[in-house]
Amino acid sequence: MTLEQALARMKELLAAQQAYNHAMGVLSLDGDTAAPTASARGRAETMGYLSGVTYQLLVNDEVKEALETILASRDAVTPMQARQAELLKEDYDDSVRIPMEEYVAYSTLLTNANAAWHDAKERSDYAAFAPYLRQIIDYNRRFAAYKDATRPAYDVLLDGFEKGASTATLDPFFRLLREKLSPVIIEVASRPAPDDAFLHQRFPIGDQRIFSDKLMAMMGIPRDRCGIAETEHPFTTNFNKWDVRITTNYSETDVADSMYSVIHEGGHALYELGTADEIQFTNLASGASMGLHESQSRFYENLIGRSLPFCRALLPVMQGCFPQQMQGVTAEQLYAAVNRSRPSLIRTQADELTYGQHVAIRYEMEKLMIGGDAKVEDLPALWNRMYKEYLGVTVPNDREGILQDVHWAGGMLGYFPSYALGSAYGVQMLAALEKDFDPWADVEKGDLSRITAWLGEKIHRHGRMLTPPQLLESAIGGPFDPECYVRYLTKKFTDLYRL
Amino acid sequence: MTLEQALARMKELLAAQQAYNHAMGVLSLDGDTAAPTASARGRAETMGYLSGVTYQLLVNDEVKEALETILASRDAVTPMQARQAELLKEDYDDSVRIPMEEYVAYSTLLTNANAAWHDAKERSDYAAFAPYLRQIIDYNRRFAAYKDATRPAYDVLLDGFEKGASTATLDPFFRLLREKLSPVIIEVASRPAPDDAFLHQRFPIGDQRIFSDKLMAMMGIPRDRCGIAETEHPFTTNFNKWDVRITTNYSETDVADSMYSVIHEGGHALYELGTADEIQFTNLASGASMGLHESQSRFYENLIGRSLPFCRALLPVMQGCFPQQMQGVTAEQLYAAVNRSRPSLIRTQADELTYGQHVAIRYEMEKLMIGGDAKVEDLPALWNRMYKEYLGVTVPNDREGILQDVHWAGGMLGYFPSYALGSAYGVQMLAALEKDFDPWADVEKGDLSRITAWLGEKIHRHGRMLTPPQLLESAIGGPFDPECYVRYLTKKFTDLYRL
């Protein structure tokens, strides 16, 4: 195969992958947002068929030869072509190492595990989910060994979600969070909680929908390229930079719930919306890693969205949408209310200060699960003990305990650390940004355009051209330093609670 | 190729077609309902790619051999397998006769023509659309000749939408409608119009959405298998009997507009929802023809939905959703208002009595266009002259005249007659149903279940197992008789307007 043939073959593959990913992405989005419930069966048929086609598109000898030909001639191809081939080769290697039958059996297991988890959570019945979890753990251990038998299985899994992540870097990270933040958490919890009752009045969903549009406008999200829908759990999905979708979930008695979902998902959306034109319709047009994606969503949600200047800009918008409910509230009261911090049971509802501890618990548990040092039947007791240790809270049942997250039922073992890493990355990005300009006068006016332009230049536009570590270093202008994150949280909550 | 191999090949093809049709259907639905505007470009890429794949799936020598093998051994296969092969062979023949380059060029033309039509309609500028229309007419003439050069081109086109339809049957049909109904239309127009002002108050969209749910419930549409969304033009789409979607369009000052869209599309939906389990995920799971589909939608919309007994059932539901607006209205007033008849400009807003004349005009024009007897630049004048002749109305501009329908821009030449045929079929079906039982006591109670069960048994469950003429004959228990339709309309409007 000549280099020219190899490049043509790769181009063809990328176009095909785009089409199938787009189709499967829309099928999945439709299933979550608009499809009637009984449609699941037909969708499973179609998704199963198309998954088979996409597997065969990638995993065949001609593709292998094309990718190897291109990677052997890196100097003769463009950097974009080289990076495309590199990423495809990683996907190829990951796919080819797992025997097709095991891959299919695992996919079926996950479909069933997801349904079993839903049921088990509803009935708070861990025993009903345990057999699935046991098998998922076994598969993940085995798959990790297929990929790289020379490294600890959990490191291989972590690396799958966040290139370069390992227990060697995460252990000290989470240890630091625990050591430095636990005293702050305890101190904050001893102080009177700020009043947030005004956020828990009745906020009609119709008015909240209009408010979402205004929030997206404040964030500078171009609506001709980004839609919003409603799902049980908020998420962001993207097909190309001209077609990004976010979702949210409205609670009639908690206006901040959807508000911060919209800002969080809006951050993910801005990342995808900001990828460069020239990488669209290729495998480079997407966020670089889960951690970097979370760095953007949590940047907008917390560093901007839960800042006092943003609350000053937000207040008149909220008062416009909810005049009765927000009457007489000051920006300072809003700021205090949206930063109310208390150790709690549910990760997704945790405040900025305690959030990292929720992630730390899951990280420690996953190490034990994958390492084989904890029996599946002992996990709930372990979970409850760690919540007591890390956050001082008593878990009343498994529904609000070990069954709360969908991730393990979906086979996502090693994903959680991305959330905490992303939060920490964001703080260093903000520090780097503040060296270039002072963003807070803009934020107070509700103008995030310069901030988004800065992040666009440093992060968004690159898509997957750079590796996550390259991208992170170029954005923060130095090595990753979790102390920066700890200092930020300590200062913010010390000031807020006048410790 | 053995018969066994041929059957396996066909089964494989049907599964693949299902998956691709499902994916492309959802992409298209998403584009019409939820996708942001700038997404069109990416969707065109994906649809283009997937269309190419589906063409190649069908048009290849192996498929040809498989289908011919099956059709040569009809006695050795099941009736379902024979019918599947028969329909696939028709699709194969239609596709293979059109050179691939022409097919691709025509697809591109249609994409551009659609955009040009939208623009031209908005600016009421026929000249801007004429060059596209000219090319579309030329392609359709040529494609008709490729399919069957021995028959007049327009007959070939008609047959493509409604198997068995031709000018030989449609000429007398439309002549009859004109001769017998024109006097009634003129007479009705001379009488005072019933008061329908109460339907044109302010009806908030949020309340109309709830009303749509209640209408779907009245129709017995299972919501776990059928969704509703909003689009500029209402339509129905289906992926299998467990996943059907209808759309509507709300006008805040015309409650009947969306109401009859929901009932009309609900009729289409009941057809698809009622196809038999055993034909799902094959090419048999769909309506038999456009005319038969319209027979169902217009059955529910007009024969049921615009009947006095249905208005009696509808009134309390409307009063529940719109207590102020519907206060003091009687069922008889509602019945008179939703049957207000006046010659008008816009087909989709025409009443039941005048509707056929709108279709007749388009039919006569298409005959001239495809026959080559009318120049493209002369079509607007022709249109306006015919509206004057057939309906006595003066067309003020091309936007409300020849540019009003999307069909020609979409290459659908020969489609319009299905609307009138469907209306006429429905009347004969109702007559056949009334021989089996009296439906009107049920309708007055708002219970359509026995009616839907009857239609399900006669029409819906069969899908495409029978040919349209077979299906029609078995449903109406005799030959097609347009006099029946004319008598129904004459009696209804004579009574309504006390002629």
Side-chain angles (χ1 to χ4, degrees), chain A residues 13-32:
Chain A
L13 172 64
L14 289 171
Q17 284 186 330
Q18 280 299 306
Y20 286 101
N21 290 343
H22 186 182
M24 291 168 78
V26 170
L27 277 162
S28 162
L29 177 66
D30 174 71
D32 287 328

Short mmCIF file of all heavy atoms in Angstrom, two decimals, chain A residues 13-32:
data_model
loop_
_atom_site.label_atom_id
_atom_site.label_comp_id
_atom_site.label_asym_id
_atom_site.label_seq_id
_atom_site.Cartn_x
_atom_site.Cartn_y
_atom_site.Cartn_z
N LEU A 13 -12.26 6.17 5.92
CA LEU A 13 -12.66 5.66 7.23
C LEU A 13 -13.20 6.77 8.12
O LEU A 13 -14.22 6.62 8.79
CB LEU A 13 -11.45 4.98 7.90
CG LEU A 13 -11.63 4.55 9.35
CD1 LEU A 13 -12.71 3.47 9.47
CD2 LEU A 13 -10.31 4.02 9.94
N LEU A 14 -12.52 7.91 8.13
CA LEU A 14 -12.95 9.02 8.98
C LEU A 14 -14.33 9.52 8.58
O LEU A 14 -15.17 9.81 9.45
CB LEU A 14 -11.93 10.17 8.92
CG LEU A 14 -10.60 9.91 9.62
CD1 LEU A 14 -9.60 11.02 9.30
CD2 LEU A 14 -10.78 9.79 11.13
N ALA A 15 -14.58 9.61 7.27
CA ALA A 15 -15.89 10.07 6.80
C ALA A 15 -16.98 9.08 7.22
O ALA A 15 -18.06 9.47 7.69
CB ALA A 15 -15.89 10.24 5.29
N ALA A 16 -16.67 7.80 7.09
CA ALA A 16 -17.65 6.77 7.48
C ALA A 16 -17.91 6.84 8.99
O ALA A 16 -19.06 6.81 9.43
CB ALA A 16 -17.14 5.40 7.08
N GLN A 17 -16.84 6.93 9.77
CA GLN A 17 -17.01 7.00 11.23
C GLN A 17 -17.85 8.21 11.63
O GLN A 17 -18.70 8.12 12.52
CB GLN A 17 -15.64 7.09 11.92
CG GLN A 17 -14.91 5.76 11.94
CD GLN A 17 -13.62 5.84 12.76
OE1 GLN A 17 -13.00 6.89 12.85
NE2 GLN A 17 -13.22 4.73 13.34
N GLN A 18 -17.60 9.34 10.97
CA GLN A 18 -18.40 10.53 11.25
C GLN A 18 -19.88 10.27 11.06
O GLN A 18 -20.71 10.61 11.89
CB GLN A 18 -17.99 11.68 10.30
CG GLN A 18 -16.76 12.40 10.71
CD GLN A 18 -16.92 13.05 12.05
OE1 GLN A 18 -17.85 13.81 12.27
NE2 GLN A 18 -16.05 12.74 12.99
N ALA A 19 -20.19 9.68 9.91
CA ALA A 19 -21.60 9.44 9.58
C ALA A 19 -22.24 8.51 10.60
O ALA A 19 -23.33 8.77 11.12
CB ALA A 19 -21.72 8.87 8.17
N TYR A 20 -21.55 7.41 10.92
CA TYR A 20 -22.13 6.46 11.87
C TYR A 20 -22.20 7.04 13.28
O TYR A 20 -23.19 6.85 13.98
CB TYR A 20 -21.34 5.14 11.86
CG TYR A 20 -21.61 4.32 10.63
CD1 TYR A 20 -20.73 4.29 9.57
CD2 TYR A 20 -22.80 3.59 10.52
CE1 TYR A 20 -21.00 3.55 8.42
CE2 TYR A 20 -23.08 2.86 9.38
CZ TYR A 20 -22.18 2.83 8.34
OH TYR A 20 -22.46 2.11 7.21
N ASN A 21 -21.18 7.75 13.69
CA ASN A 21 -21.23 8.35 15.03
C ASN A 21 -22.36 9.37 15.13
O ASN A 21 -23.04 9.46 16.16
CB ASN A 21 -19.90 9.02 15.39
CG ASN A 21 -18.80 8.00 15.60
OD1 ASN A 21 -19.08 6.82 15.81
ND2 ASN A 21 -17.56 8.45 15.55
N HIS A 22 -22.52 10.13 14.07
CA HIS A 22 -23.60 11.12 14.04
C HIS A 22 -24.95 10.42 14.16
O HIS A 22 -25.77 10.77 15.00
CB HIS A 22 -23.50 11.91 12.73
CG HIS A 22 -24.46 13.07 12.63
ND1 HIS A 22 -24.54 13.85 11.52
CD2 HIS A 22 -25.37 13.56 13.49
CE1 HIS A 22 -25.47 14.79 11.71
NE2 HIS A 22 -25.99 14.63 12.89
N ALA A 23 -25.15 9.41 13.32
CA ALA A 23 -26.43 8.70 13.32
C ALA A 23 -26.70 8.06 14.68
O ALA A 23 -27.79 8.18 15.26
CB ALA A 23 -26.45 7.65 12.22
N MET A 24 -25.69 7.38 15.24
CA MET A 24 -25.89 6.70 16.52
C MET A 24 -26.07 7.72 17.65
O MET A 24 -26.84 7.50 18.59
CB MET A 24 -24.74 5.75 16.79
CG MET A 24 -24.76 4.56 15.82
SD MET A 24 -23.23 3.57 15.87
CE MET A 24 -23.53 2.63 17.37
N GLY A 25 -25.38 8.84 17.54
CA GLY A 25 -25.52 9.89 18.54
C GLY A 25 -26.92 10.48 18.55
O GLY A 25 -27.52 10.70 19.61
N VAL A 26 -27.47 10.72 17.37
CA VAL A 26 -28.82 11.28 17.29
C VAL A 26 -29.85 10.25 17.74
O VAL A 26 -30.82 10.58 18.42
CB VAL A 26 -29.13 11.81 15.87
CG1 VAL A 26 -30.60 12.17 15.73
CG2 VAL A 26 -28.28 13.04 15.58
N LEU A 27 -29.66 8.99 17.38
CA LEU A 27 -30.56 7.93 17.85
C LEU A 27 -30.59 7.88 19.38
O LEU A 27 -31.64 7.76 20.00
CB LEU A 27 -30.10 6.56 17.32
CG LEU A 27 -30.54 6.20 15.90
CD1 LEU A 27 -29.69 5.07 15.33
CD2 LEU A 27 -32.01 5.78 15.88
N SER A 28 -29.42 8.00 19.97
CA SER A 28 -29.32 7.95 21.42
C SER A 28 -29.95 9.19 22.06
O SER A 28 -30.70 9.10 23.03
CB SER A 28 -27.84 7.79 21.78
OG SER A 28 -27.62 8.13 23.09
N LEU A 29 -29.66 10.35 21.50
CA LEU A 29 -30.25 11.60 22.01
C LEU A 29 -31.76 11.56 21.92
O LEU A 29 -32.48 11.91 22.85
CB LEU A 29 -29.70 12.78 21.20
CG LEU A 29 -30.25 14.16 21.57
CD1 LEU A 29 -29.83 14.58 22.96
CD2 LEU A 29 -29.80 15.22 20.55
N ASP A 30 -32.26 11.12 20.77
CA ASP A 30 -33.70 11.00 20.56
C ASP A 30 -34.29 10.05 21.61
O ASP A 30 -35.36 10.32 22.17
CB ASP A 30 -33.97 10.49 19.15
CG ASP A 30 -35.44 10.19 18.90
OD1 ASP A 30 -36.22 11.15 18.81
OD2 ASP A 30 -35.79 9.00 18.78
N GLY A 31 -33.59 8.94 21.87
CA GLY A 31 -34.06 8.00 22.87
C GLY A 31 -34.17 8.63 24.25
O GLY A 31 -35.08 8.33 25.02
N ASP A 32 -33.25 9.54 24.56
CA ASP A 32 -33.25 10.18 25.88
C ASP A 32 -34.23 11.34 25.98
O ASP A 32 -34.60 11.75 27.09
CB ASP A 32 -31.85 10.71 26.21
CG ASP A 32 -30.89 9.59 26.56
OD1 ASP A 32 -31.35 8.58 27.11
OD2 ASP A 32 -29.69 9.73 26.28
#
